[in-house]
Amino acid sequence: MRISKRRTNSGFVVTNAIIGLWINSLTLILLFSLSRSMTFVPSRIYDSHLLDEHWFIIHLEEYIEHYELISINQSNIVFADEQNERVIYFERYFNKDGLMIRRRTNQGGHEVLLNRLTSMRFEDQGDSLIVKLQHESASQSNVYKISLL
């Protein structure tokens, strides 16, 4: 006498396969949509120093907003705090690495804000400040206009 074994788990295998395919396809759809929505930073930002220049401009704007502007000429900008105890200079500076812009105070020390420049210039336009910067690796100057109001 032969005993037949009935397969009672065949529906379970098919259900597992369908659920597995559904999960895999959902994962692929999510990955595809995420990869399409990703934006890449242009490589020119890394090739040049545009990012450093933008940070410098943001830093300069903060000083214009929070300190009293004393003077602007081609090579430096002078700020002072409310009590005129602390004077801050943003100035052109030359060293062995070339032209740079540094921040220093009347209390001593300095901080390099931008380096490896071929040219830089500050211009007072009355209600705005024009900053012209050219980095060693750039073929042309970048011009930034900052409101003084």
Side-chain angles (χ1 to χ4, degrees):
M1 186 168 172
R2 217 165 151 192
I3 301 174
S4 69
K5 293 185 177 180
R6 293 177 67 189
R7 294 189 173 180
T8 59
N9 60 356
S10 62
F12 178 73
V13 172
V14 171
T15 306
N16 271 348
I18 291 172
I19 291 173
L21 285 173
W22 184 76
I23 290 173
N24 284 336
S25 58
L26 183 64
T27 303
L28 288 174
I29 290 170
L30 286 173
L31 285 174
F32 180 74
S33 65
L34 286 174
S35 67
R36 301 276 281 155
S37 67
M38 288 176 31
T39 57
F40 295 99
V41 176
S43 62
R44 65 185 179 89
I45 289 178
Y46 295 112
D47 294 339
S48 69
H49 279 277
L50 288 177
L51 192 58
D52 289 339
E53 289 178 10
H54 289 296
W55 279 113
F56 168 72
I57 296 301
I58 290 169
H59 193 70
L60 189 57
E61 286 174 337
E62 288 177 359
Y63 272 84
I64 290 171
E65 184 177 330
H66 295 100
Y67 289 89
E68 180 184 349
L69 182 62
I70 304 297
S71 69
I72 301 173
N73 64 37
Q74 292 180 3
S75 61
N76 66 24
I77 302 173
V78 182
F79 296 98
D81 63 4
E82 292 177 0
Q83 296 82 18
N84 286 332
E85 293 175 1
R86 184 173 180 213
V87 179
I88 300 115
Y89 303 89
F90 282 71
E91 61 189 2
R92 177 185 309 170
Y93 179 71
F94 292 96
N95 74 358
K96 62 182 170 94
D97 293 329
L99 177 64
M100 65 178 60
I101 298 175
R102 71 178 181 176
R103 181 184 67 88
R104 70 177 177 91
T105 67
N106 59 338
Q107 298 169 346
H110 75 271
E111 173 185 14
V112 175
L113 300 173
L114 278 175
N115 59 3
R116 301 192 192 287
L117 298 171
T118 55
S119 68
M120 61 80 57
R121 181 185 191 107
F122 299 122
E123 294 178 13
D124 186 0
Q125 301 267 318
D127 62 345
S128 62
L129 167 67
I130 303 295
V131 180
K132 295 180 181 179
L133 303 169
Q134 184 171 0
H135 192 267
E136 288 178 351
S137 64
S139 59
Q140 63 186 18
S141 295
N142 294 317
V143 179
Y144 301 92
K145 184 175 184 178
I146 303 169
S147 175
L148 296 176
L149 302 177

